[in-house]
Amino acid sequence: MKKFNYTELKDTRSGFGDGLTELGRKNKNIVALCADLTGSLKMNQFKKENPNRFFQVGIAEANMMGIAAGLTIGGKIPFTGTFANFSTGRVYDQIRQSIAYSGKNVKICASHAGLTLGEDGATHQILEDIGLMKMLPGMTVINTCDYNQTKIATIAIAEHQGPVYLRFGRPKVPNFTSPDHKFKIGKGIILNEGKDVTIVATGHLVWESILAGEKLKNFGISSEIINIHTIKPIDEEIILKSINKTRCIVTAEEHNFLGGLGESISRILTKNDPVPQEFIATNDTFGESGSPSKLMDKYGLNSNAIVNAVEKVLSRK
Amino acid sequence: MSTIASLEKLTLQVRRDILRMVHSVNSGHPGGSLGCAELFVVLYNRILDLSNVFDMDGKNEDLFFLSNGHISPVFYSVLARKGYFPIDELNTFRKLNSRLQGHPTTHEKLPGVRIASGSLGQGISVAIGSALSKKLNNDHNLIYVLVGDGELQEGQNWEAIMFASANNIDNLILCVDLNGKQIDGSTSEVLPMGNLKIKFEAFGWKVIEVENGNNLESIIKNFNYAKKETKKKSPICLLIKTEMGNGVDFMMNTHEWHGVAPNDEQLKIALSQNPETLGDY
């Protein structure tokens, strides 16, 4: 079993900011828009280096999405930045009509996703955004797990022609992926090979899955851990190959179980090879105020919950 | 350059196209389409500086965005008669497998359309984005966008209107179709919008009032004036008074024909008031 270490805790949103800065230096068609959250989104450096290619739109997200759509006409590649809640639910119709249906090359970059936004509470903690965005025809949906992956993903989506939703978070989390690991949109990454159970995770739950894997090993359970950074289009092949071996699966995400990664996986299983599945996700609920770690504990989004889910799914084999 | 006489002929034919399109599928929006016939005819034949070939990026040409997408019949007719796509294709309007959707879209790759519209209030934002793109590209052509007056009830417009003046978007000409009517009645009954001139001016826009938006010469004169006022730091707004249902006597002076198609007999009367000039599709 591969051992994962990290030398530092780092926020995924800084990975976005640093990736955007790098893009700004090498591609003059990259433009960025922000709705009064430049510091929170870590877009300051891009703004400093490219004042003519950075647009502060104020607290007006609907307008931001429309302007981003318009900027693509003429060859610009706009990256919008605001919290996940204001990047999706608040502007769903603007994204649907002016970006997705119009096929515009806009990169919707969304920070502070999920419960780990923390103390601001449920008004800001969107747990429905993956579902909202994956339902839009033509939309690519990515949820990265750490700083390095977010940086690489930010750079990768600029090369992709078409609308993308890139979801990341607020808190500092273990930065464990290699800074130059292979990132391909739509391709999952096997972090650990195993034979008893498949654990598929996205976002902050990837690290928790690694921790769960280590705990399970102590019980003599061999888990195959897959990092699914792209929720749409989803890597069916890597899932089917894994469950062909393990015959059961646990999915883990910082999102409502309705509309999230788990449901996308269920569809693959049902169509191709039904095996037992357990879901680590929020249970059709809003969040609340609290520290990120306490919230994740209360709502059952941690390594212990994954271990329990694995034991349950193994009993259903 | 097209003469006034030739533009008059084209306007008559565009009205016939609009009426026949909505009649053939018994759906669509004739009222606002007829009210904007002169406006579209003038824009596409006297005002816009257009490339010969349609290209989505539209570099080094003027771009037009239709925000109130429900008046697609007039847009399609004028685009087809300008040569963007075969005139016969008007026959497919709102039918299955057509590029001429009820509301315009890029999805079916219809030349001349650069954004989907229909859900109201989004066009000014998009136009601002493309105006910024032109500035970044050192492209000196202009952006035009049309919105309905009732459409200004959508809040996103005012986000965009605030942004445009704050950011000196002075390569943008916004046209407001001031027909005073929307689906449920007159705009003053549904949600009075007060004095739009004062509102736009308070938001930092240069406002030009067009008293007769169904008069070709008046529209040409005002657009030429608007063009001269661009590149002076302020966005430009043309408040264009039009008559919904213009050119068909029983469709005028009422909101009733906003989204209702004429029946066979009504079509006959309407067409008799607008004789064929350039050949029906």
Side-chain angles (χ1 to χ4, degrees), chain A residues 135-154:
Chain A
M135 290 264 288
L136 290 171
M139 183 67 70
T140 294
V141 179
I142 296 172
N143 187 189
T144 49
C145 66
D146 71 356
Y147 169 90
N148 284 336
Q149 188 165 77
T150 311
K151 185 176 173 187
I152 294 170
T154 302

Side-chain angles (χ1 to χ4, degrees), chain B residues 62 124 127-136 138-145 160-174 204-206 208 223 225-237:
Chain B
D62 290 344
I124 305 178
I128 289 170
S130 77
L132 288 169
S133 193
K134 284 221 179 290
K135 285 182 180 238
L136 288 169
N138 289 318
D139 172 342
H140 300 293
N141 279 91
L142 298 173
I143 304 294
Y144 293 76
V145 55
I161 291 163
M162 190 184 295
F163 180 95
S165 54
N167 290 276
N168 302 325
I169 310 295
D170 57 4
N171 53 346
L172 173 70
I173 296 177
L174 163 65
W205 286 56
K206 160 94 183 171
I208 299 167
F223 269 124
Y225 173 49
K227 275 186 3 193
K228 285 201 188 94
E229 292 299 308
T230 58
K231 317 284 174 73
K232 293 182 182 174
K233 303 282 180 200
S234 298
I236 314 278
C237 169

Side-chain angles (χ1 to χ4, degrees), chain A residues 167-314:
Chain A
R167 177 194 212 238
F168 42 92
R170 174 184 174 227
K172 290 185 175 170
V173 292
N175 186 28
F176 63 96
T177 62
S178 151
D180 50 8
H181 74 269
K182 207 174 153 196
F183 183 93
K184 199 158 180 252
I185 294 171
K187 288 286 167 208
I189 300 169
I190 297 180
L191 296 174
N192 250 317
E193 290 188 21
K195 59 180 176 50
D196 298 327
V197 60
T198 301
I199 304 173
V200 178
T202 192
H204 291 144
L205 269 295
V206 176
W207 178 252
E208 294 299 320
S209 298
I210 290 168
L211 296 180
E214 285 168 6
K215 290 174 187 173
L216 289 163
K217 192 184 159 210
N218 294 333
F219 305 143
I221 297 165
S222 158
S223 44
E224 178 142 305
I225 301 169
I226 300 175
N227 173 0
I228 286 282
H229 48 70
T230 308
I231 291 153
K232 185 186 171 190
I234 199 154
D235 188 348
E236 295 200 12
E237 196 186 337
I238 202 168
I239 307 290
L240 290 172
K241 222 167 145 185
S242 182
I243 56 133
N244 186 43
K245 185 168 56 172
T246 63
R247 308 310 298 157
C248 68
I249 190 164
V250 170
T251 54
E253 60 196 306
E254 190 181 343
H255 189 272
N256 193 353
F257 79 94
L258 293 167
L261 167 69
E263 275 198 353
S264 287
I265 303 265
S266 294
R267 181 180 168 277
I268 299 170
L269 303 181
T270 311
K271 269 190 81 175
N272 299 283
D273 188 3
V275 298
Q277 176 183 5
E278 290 292 328
F279 296 78
I280 294 298
T282 56
N283 188 16
D284 197 19
T285 180
F286 292 104
E288 63 182 286
S289 289
S291 72
S293 63
K294 284 189 174 158
L295 282 161
M296 295 294 266
D297 289 346
K298 173 167 175 176
Y299 289 83
L301 306 181
N302 57 22
S303 59
N304 287 337
I306 295 169
V307 169
N308 292 340
V310 167
E311 285 171 349
K312 198 168 173 193
V313 85
L314 285 172

Side-chain angles (χ1 to χ4, degrees), chain B:
Chain B
M1 189 183 283
S2 314
T3 62
I4 293 294
S6 69
L7 295 179
E8 275 170 357
K9 272 189 185 173
L10 178 56
T11 305
L12 277 171
Q13 191 62 48
V14 166
R15 284 201 204 115
R16 288 180 70 87
D17 289 348
I18 294 165
L19 291 160
R20 294 177 67 241
M21 284 162 79
V22 296
H23 169 264
S24 82
V25 286
N26 192 28
S27 74
H29 297 77
S33 297
L34 290 167
C36 287
E38 290 86 355
L39 178 64
F40 275 81
V41 163
V42 165
L43 263 177
Y44 273 86
N45 296 282
R46 282 290 278 272
I47 301 299
L48 297 176
D49 170 21
L50 299 167
S51 298
N52 293 326
V53 182
F54 176 75
D55 166 75
M56 182 53 83
D57 278 342
K59 287 183 181 165
N60 302 310
E61 63 173 323
D62 290 344
L63 305 184
F64 171 78
F65 294 96
L66 176 65
S67 189
N68 48 331
H70 56 274
I71 65 165
S72 58
V74 64
F75 192 23
Y76 294 149
S77 167
V78 170
L79 284 178
R81 293 195 179 269
K82 186 70 186 169
Y84 279 87
F85 54 86
I87 294 171
D88 277 356
E89 205 169 332
L90 296 176
N91 197 30
T92 70
F93 174 63
R94 284 184 174 240
K95 291 175 184 163
L96 200 61
N97 302 319
S98 171
R99 298 195 291 180
L100 279 60
Q101 294 288 298
H103 295 79
T105 166
T106 60
H107 198 256
E108 279 72 28
K109 308 212 183 312
L110 184 69
V113 181
R114 289 192 170 82
I115 196 81
S117 61
S119 176
L120 294 173
Q122 302 185 28
I124 305 178
S125 303
V126 173
I128 289 170
S130 77
L132 288 169
S133 193
K134 284 221 179 290
K135 285 182 180 238
L136 288 169
N137 289 335
N138 289 318
D139 172 342
H140 300 293
N141 279 91
L142 298 173
I143 304 294
Y144 293 76
V145 55
L146 175 64
V147 303
D149 51 358
E151 183 179 9
L152 288 173
Q153 290 158 2
E154 291 280 6
Q156 185 184 342
N157 291 300
W158 299 96
E159 297 179 3
I161 291 163
M162 190 184 295
F163 180 95
S165 54
N167 290 276
N168 302 325
I169 310 295
D170 57 4
N171 53 346
L172 173 70
I173 296 177
L174 163 65
C175 311
V176 179
D177 175 19
L178 212 62
N179 61 25
K181 295 176 187 69
Q182 55 193 108
I183 296 181
D184 274 1
S186 69
T187 51
S188 59
E189 284 165 352
V190 177
L191 181 62
M193 286 174 286
N195 188 322
L196 284 176
K197 180 171 188 281
I198 291 173
K199 281 185 173 153
F200 271 97
E201 285 174 346
F203 274 73
W205 286 56
K206 160 94 183 171
V207 178
I208 299 167
E209 292 183 289
V210 183
E211 283 306 318
N212 190 348
N214 296 111
N215 178 286
L216 294 167
E217 287 178 87
S218 167
I219 305 169
I220 293 168
K221 189 184 82 188
N222 280 288
F223 269 124
N224 282 328
Y225 173 49
K227 275 186 3 193
K228 285 201 188 94
E229 292 299 308
T230 58
K231 317 284 174 73
K232 293 182 182 174
K233 303 282 180 200
S234 298
I236 314 278
C237 169
L238 287 157
L239 295 174
I240 305 170
K241 275 194 191 149
T242 67
E243 181 60 50
M244 189 181 269
N246 188 53
V248 178
D249 59 7
F250 61 89
M251 291 187 175
M252 294 162 73
N253 303 308
T254 171
H255 68 276
E256 301 290 339
W257 292 90
H258 177 99
V260 178
N263 62 27
D264 293 350
E265 197 176 327
Q266 289 161 336
L267 177 72
K268 210 170 145 188
I269 299 165
L271 291 179
S272 74
Q273 295 170 11
N274 294 280
E276 194 173 346
T277 54
L278 303 173
D280 286 339
Y281 63 81

Side-chain angles (χ1 to χ4, degrees), chain A residues 23-42:
Chain A
L23 276 174
R25 289 175 189 157
K26 65 179 188 187
N27 186 343
K28 298 297 171 206
N29 280 326
I30 302 289
V31 296
L33 304 94
C34 190
D36 196 32
L37 287 167
T38 313
S40 297
L41 269 286
K42 306 292 181 187

